[in-house]
Amino acid sequence: MEALAVRLSGLDPYVDGALRIVAFYDTLMRRRVDLPALARASAGLAECVAGIRLHGTGRAIRVAPDGREPSGPPAAASTTVPITLDDEEIGTVWLERPGTPGPLDSVLLDRLAIAAASAVERYGPASTTMADPALVELAISADSDEAARARALRLLGFAPGLPVHVLAVRARLPLDRIGSMVCPAGQVKAAPLADVGVILATGVDPARLPPGARAGMGAADSPDRSWRQARTALRFTTRRRPVVRYAELGALALLADVPPEAARDNADVAAVDRIAGNPDDLETLDAYCSTGSLRRAADLLHLHHSSIARRLEQIAKILDIDLTDPTGLMRARLALTTWRLLGS
């Protein structure tokens, strides 16, 4: 191959220059350089400002021939080439050459685009927590095929074969801060999606979720199924139980599929709705259902057990359920959980 290149270069100076550019970028790719290094090398080779932009991050890397960031405002691109990965345009590379484009600028940018796509596939985009919502939605959507999902995860920076945990989050703190908290060491990406935040992470520590935030965690290996499970688990969270794993719900997860009309028509759920008008009674019922013990409920609410007993007596009359009976307690728990799901 090298002998053929030498023979061709002797026939045409343009071919000689093109072959040198190809060899230049082949060397950079063998050295596994990242996007900033590619931009610096390209600017030095072209002797003008070179730029790289990924659609997923929106951030542009612009480098002057001296290897520094250009001091002036961006000039109009003299030549532009798209960056393509798996038949999808993921970004753009360009040169800002004053005057007319050079005869080899298109060759240089073609090779830069190939090298940039290789770097993106290897390293992923810039290591920020927030990600393009469209890319995240592609990774977790049930409508995505497996090839598109794998490509989206790769562009988000997740290596093939590694498990990706999916969380559905509601919180007042910014999603990027929450993502960094629950996954301080591994790869993590976050994005708002409709009415809830999405966090994708290679590892999750639920104990690090900040106060006031709530999160549901999916259990499935596939991100799309895990996302559906995470949304369901989020509906089961409470002030006392801010993190719910779908795998821990078991048969309770079936309650999320009960039609709202059927739930509202249930006598036990309707009775809980009447109790909800009194916050103290609702808090007492919640504590008793959570602990299954009058004394533990009293300790949880910092009240005397006789006060809890009186409240539970009145609550039992409204519910028309014997709360001291195991079956009655189970009915109350199911009714309270179903009532919460109606408002989730």
Side-chain angles (χ1 to χ4, degrees), residues 34-46:
D34 57 12
L35 293 179
L38 280 173
R40 288 194 299 271
S42 300
L45 180 63

PDB file of all heavy atoms in Angstrom, residues 34-46:
ATOM      1  N   ASP A  34      -8.689  12.685  21.478  1.00  0.00           N
ATOM      2  CA  ASP A  34     -10.067  13.111  21.704  1.00  0.00           C
ATOM      3  C   ASP A  34     -10.416  14.277  20.790  1.00  0.00           C
ATOM      4  O   ASP A  34      -9.605  14.728  19.962  1.00  0.00           O
ATOM      5  CB  ASP A  34     -10.290  13.477  23.174  1.00  0.00           C
ATOM      6  CG  ASP A  34      -9.335  14.561  23.663  1.00  0.00           C
ATOM      7  OD1 ASP A  34      -8.663  15.181  22.812  1.00  0.00           O
ATOM      8  OD2 ASP A  34      -9.266  14.792  24.881  1.00  0.00           O
ATOM      9  N   LEU A  35     -11.628  14.807  20.930  1.00  0.00           N
ATOM     10  CA  LEU A  35     -12.100  15.864  20.029  1.00  0.00           C
ATOM     11  C   LEU A  35     -11.278  17.147  20.126  1.00  0.00           C
ATOM     12  O   LEU A  35     -10.934  17.731  19.084  1.00  0.00           O
ATOM     13  CB  LEU A  35     -13.580  16.155  20.305  1.00  0.00           C
ATOM     14  CG  LEU A  35     -14.555  15.025  19.963  1.00  0.00           C
ATOM     15  CD1 LEU A  35     -15.980  15.447  20.302  1.00  0.00           C
ATOM     16  CD2 LEU A  35     -14.466  14.642  18.492  1.00  0.00           C
ATOM     17  N   PRO A  36     -10.952  17.663  21.319  1.00  0.00           N
ATOM     18  CA  PRO A  36     -10.120  18.870  21.373  1.00  0.00           C
ATOM     19  C   PRO A  36      -8.775  18.690  20.684  1.00  0.00           C
ATOM     20  O   PRO A  36      -8.287  19.600  20.004  1.00  0.00           O
ATOM     21  CB  PRO A  36      -9.965  19.127  22.879  1.00  0.00           C
ATOM     22  CG  PRO A  36     -11.182  18.512  23.492  1.00  0.00           C
ATOM     23  CD  PRO A  36     -11.434  17.289  22.673  1.00  0.00           C
ATOM     24  N   ALA A  37      -8.155  17.510  20.871  1.00  0.00           N
ATOM     25  CA  ALA A  37      -6.863  17.267  20.224  1.00  0.00           C
ATOM     26  C   ALA A  37      -7.018  17.206  18.700  1.00  0.00           C
ATOM     27  O   ALA A  37      -6.152  17.685  17.952  1.00  0.00           O
ATOM     28  CB  ALA A  37      -6.252  15.967  20.743  1.00  0.00           C
ATOM     29  N   LEU A  38      -8.124  16.636  18.220  1.00  0.00           N
ATOM     30  CA  LEU A  38      -8.376  16.611  16.778  1.00  0.00           C
ATOM     31  C   LEU A  38      -8.530  18.026  16.221  1.00  0.00           C
ATOM     32  O   LEU A  38      -8.016  18.335  15.136  1.00  0.00           O
ATOM     33  CB  LEU A  38      -9.638  15.804  16.486  1.00  0.00           C
ATOM     34  CG  LEU A  38      -9.509  14.285  16.466  1.00  0.00           C
ATOM     35  CD1 LEU A  38     -10.884  13.652  16.325  1.00  0.00           C
ATOM     36  CD2 LEU A  38      -8.585  13.833  15.342  1.00  0.00           C
ATOM     37  N   ALA A  39      -9.238  18.870  16.956  1.00  0.00           N
ATOM     38  CA  ALA A  39      -9.424  20.252  16.497  1.00  0.00           C
ATOM     39  C   ALA A  39      -8.097  21.000  16.452  1.00  0.00           C
ATOM     40  O   ALA A  39      -7.825  21.739  15.491  1.00  0.00           O
ATOM     41  CB  ALA A  39     -10.414  20.969  17.419  1.00  0.00           C
ATOM     42  N   ARG A  40      -7.258  20.811  17.477  1.00  0.00           N
ATOM     43  CA  ARG A  40      -5.946  21.478  17.492  1.00  0.00           C
ATOM     44  C   ARG A  40      -5.077  21.021  16.332  1.00  0.00           C
ATOM     45  O   ARG A  40      -4.441  21.833  15.642  1.00  0.00           O
ATOM     46  CB  ARG A  40      -5.242  21.220  18.829  1.00  0.00           C
ATOM     47  CG  ARG A  40      -5.825  21.966  20.013  1.00  0.00           C
ATOM     48  CD  ARG A  40      -4.878  21.913  21.201  1.00  0.00           C
ATOM     49  NE  ARG A  40      -4.638  20.545  21.641  1.00  0.00           N
ATOM     50  CZ  ARG A  40      -5.397  19.915  22.546  1.00  0.00           C
ATOM     51  NH1 ARG A  40      -6.437  20.539  23.070  1.00  0.00           N
ATOM     52  NH2 ARG A  40      -5.108  18.679  22.907  1.00  0.00           N
ATOM     53  N   ALA A  41      -5.038  19.704  16.116  1.00  0.00           N
ATOM     54  CA  ALA A  41      -4.209  19.169  15.033  1.00  0.00           C
ATOM     55  C   ALA A  41      -4.711  19.660  13.672  1.00  0.00           C
ATOM     56  O   ALA A  41      -3.918  19.997  12.780  1.00  0.00           O
ATOM     57  CB  ALA A  41      -4.215  17.647  15.090  1.00  0.00           C
ATOM     58  N   SER A  42      -6.022  19.729  13.513  1.00  0.00           N
ATOM     59  CA  SER A  42      -6.591  20.153  12.232  1.00  0.00           C
ATOM     60  C   SER A  42      -6.313  21.624  11.963  1.00  0.00           C
ATOM     61  O   SER A  42      -6.019  22.023  10.818  1.00  0.00           O
ATOM     62  CB  SER A  42      -8.097  19.894  12.220  1.00  0.00           C
ATOM     63  OG  SER A  42      -8.368  18.515  12.409  1.00  0.00           O
ATOM     64  N   ALA A  43      -6.431  22.454  12.997  1.00  0.00           N
ATOM     65  CA  ALA A  43      -6.153  23.876  12.826  1.00  0.00           C
ATOM     66  C   ALA A  43      -4.697  24.107  12.439  1.00  0.00           C
ATOM     67  O   ALA A  43      -4.389  24.955  11.584  1.00  0.00           O
ATOM     68  CB  ALA A  43      -6.485  24.630  14.109  1.00  0.00           C
ATOM     69  N   GLY A  44      -3.797  23.358  13.055  1.00  0.00           N
ATOM     70  CA  GLY A  44      -2.385  23.488  12.707  1.00  0.00           C
ATOM     71  C   GLY A  44      -2.098  23.026  11.293  1.00  0.00           C
ATOM     72  O   GLY A  44      -1.318  23.659  10.565  1.00  0.00           O
ATOM     73  N   LEU A  45      -2.754  21.943  10.877  1.00  0.00           N
ATOM     74  CA  LEU A  45      -2.536  21.428   9.534  1.00  0.00           C
ATOM     75  C   LEU A  45      -3.122  22.361   8.475  1.00  0.00           C
ATOM     76  O   LEU A  45      -2.495  22.629   7.446  1.00  0.00           O
ATOM     77  CB  LEU A  45      -3.159  20.038   9.408  1.00  0.00           C
ATOM     78  CG  LEU A  45      -3.019  19.338   8.058  1.00  0.00           C
ATOM     79  CD1 LEU A  45      -1.543  19.069   7.746  1.00  0.00           C
ATOM     80  CD2 LEU A  45      -3.821  18.033   8.045  1.00  0.00           C
ATOM     81  N   ALA A  46      -4.322  22.891   8.738  1.00  0.00           N
ATOM     82  CA  ALA A  46      -4.984  23.761   7.760  1.00  0.00           C
ATOM     83  C   ALA A  46      -4.469  25.194   7.799  1.00  0.00           C
ATOM     84  O   ALA A  46      -4.721  25.962   6.868  1.00  0.00           O
ATOM     85  CB  ALA A  46      -6.493  23.751   8.008  1.00  0.00           C
TER      86      ALA A  46
END
